[in-house]
Amino acid sequence: MEYVYPAIFHPNDDGSITITYPDLPGCISEGKSLANAMYMAQSALKQWIEYLADKKMVLPAASAVQDVSAKGNEFTSLIRAEVKDGRAVKRTISIPQWMDEKAVSSGLSLSRVMQDALAERFA
């Protein structure tokens, strides 16, 4: 699922940039440069959304970017984060019997093998 939230970028005297999310109190990050701050903003947003989902907390609605006001030398930018649903789902697959016997005798988890193969395919 994709999420987009406005973030406020606060330039600091040492050249670093602090990032806050008006809609997500406590979601704060910092970057050493603008490029790093953009990366850190996305990472912080993703982790915050995953945290709220894990704790079964309500994710606040995102404000419209024009409704978020920056002060002084601050600026506002929209940040996008993609959060993948990591919940397990059951699927039925068919494999030849000899493969199943080899997997069992080798102690392989077919679920893990399938997850690893799909992760490599989709990387």
Side-chain angles (χ1 to χ4, degrees):
M1 187 159 239
E2 293 182 347
Y3 298 90
V4 178
Y5 277 82
I8 299 176
F9 290 72
H10 315 264
N12 300 312
D13 292 338
D14 64 357
S16 66
I17 301 171
T18 301
I19 307 108
T20 60
Y21 288 89
D23 301 312
L24 305 170
C27 183
I28 301 170
S29 192
E30 185 172 86
K32 295 179 181 179
S33 65
L34 179 56
N36 182 244
M38 295 298 286
Y39 172 81
M40 296 302 289
Q42 186 177 45
S43 177
L45 177 59
K46 180 177 184 243
Q47 289 177 21
W48 197 259
I49 292 169
E50 289 172 341
Y51 170 79
L52 292 177
D54 185 54
K55 298 294 182 187
K56 298 185 181 4
M57 298 172 72
V58 176
L59 181 64
S63 296
V65 70
Q66 63 269 20
D67 294 338
V68 177
S69 57
K71 301 176 183 118
N73 63 347
E74 299 174 340
F75 62 93
T76 303
S77 182
L78 291 173
I79 302 298
R80 176 189 163 276
E82 183 177 355
V83 178
K84 295 180 180 171
D85 188 346
R87 293 178 292 179
V89 293
K90 288 191 176 249
R91 303 292 269 178
T92 301
I93 63 166
S94 297
I95 61 172
Q97 184 169 345
W98 70 268
M99 283 185 181
D100 185 56
E101 291 168 357
K102 282 269 199 194
V104 169
S105 69
S106 299
L108 287 177
S109 162
L110 292 181
S111 291
R112 172 58 36 208
V113 170
M114 180 62 76
Q115 288 176 37
D116 291 347
L118 289 173
E120 185 176 319
R121 168 80 54 104
F122 297 140

